[in-house]
Amino acid sequence: VQLQASGGGFVQAGGSLRLSCVASMRIYSSAVMGWFRQAPGKEREYVGVIRWGVGNTYYPDSVKGRFTISRDKGENAVYLQMNNLKPEDTAVYYCAKAPSFATAPSQYNYWGQGTQVTVSS
């Protein structure tokens, strides 16, 4: 499975961005899709996870209420809507696929190439 991420860019604090990630093959219901980010000098962390089949979503407290993960089964695509962006959201964002529910990056076996998000103050 190949994952193609897009949608990053430069935005001022308080602004919004929408990231997209398209998978090259069908994603099965048992799988989980996640968005992660990694800032310079920091560990990769999850910012949104969605159970592909039922659509349940999960977020860390740092982005809850600001970020929304969603999916389009027909397009094999997952999205991350990011609102009220803050300078601390600046990072490279990755989409990834895991065979079952997880939030730890080590449990994800397919990764997109990453897209840079920069938020200015």
Side-chain angles (χ1 to χ4, degrees):
V1 175
Q2 290 186 327
L3 302 177
Q4 183 69 39
S6 61
F10 184 93
V11 65
Q12 290 188 332
S16 299
L17 283 174
R18 186 182 190 231
L19 306 183
S20 301
C21 176
V22 179
S24 61
M25 296 177 65
R26 176 189 171 190
I27 301 172
Y28 289 91
S29 295
S30 59
V32 170
M33 295 296 292
W35 283 99
F36 295 79
R37 68 185 180 189
Q38 188 166 20
K42 294 188 176 182
E43 293 186 352
R44 194 169 295 190
E45 62 176 355
Y46 96 101
V47 293
V49 168
I50 187 167
R51 293 184 184 268
W52 193 256
V54 297
N56 291 0
T57 58
Y58 307 85
Y59 307 93
D61 289 343
S62 58
V63 307
K64 198 173 293 183
R66 301 188 298 121
F67 290 12
T68 302
I69 187 171
S70 62
R71 77 217 194 297
D72 184 326
K73 287 185 173 182
E75 297 294 326
N76 289 322
V78 61
Y79 307 98
L80 186 69
Q81 178 66 43
M82 304 184 293
N83 298 328
N84 190 22
L85 283 161
K86 303 175 181 181
E88 51 263 42
D89 295 319
T90 295
V92 178
Y93 283 70
Y94 301 87
C95 61
K97 176 182 171 294
S100 59
F101 180 77
T103 59
S106 61
Q107 300 304 306
Y108 285 72
N109 50 0
Y110 293 98
W111 290 84
Q113 81 282 13
T115 183
Q116 176 71 46
V117 171
T118 303
V119 185
S120 67
S121 57

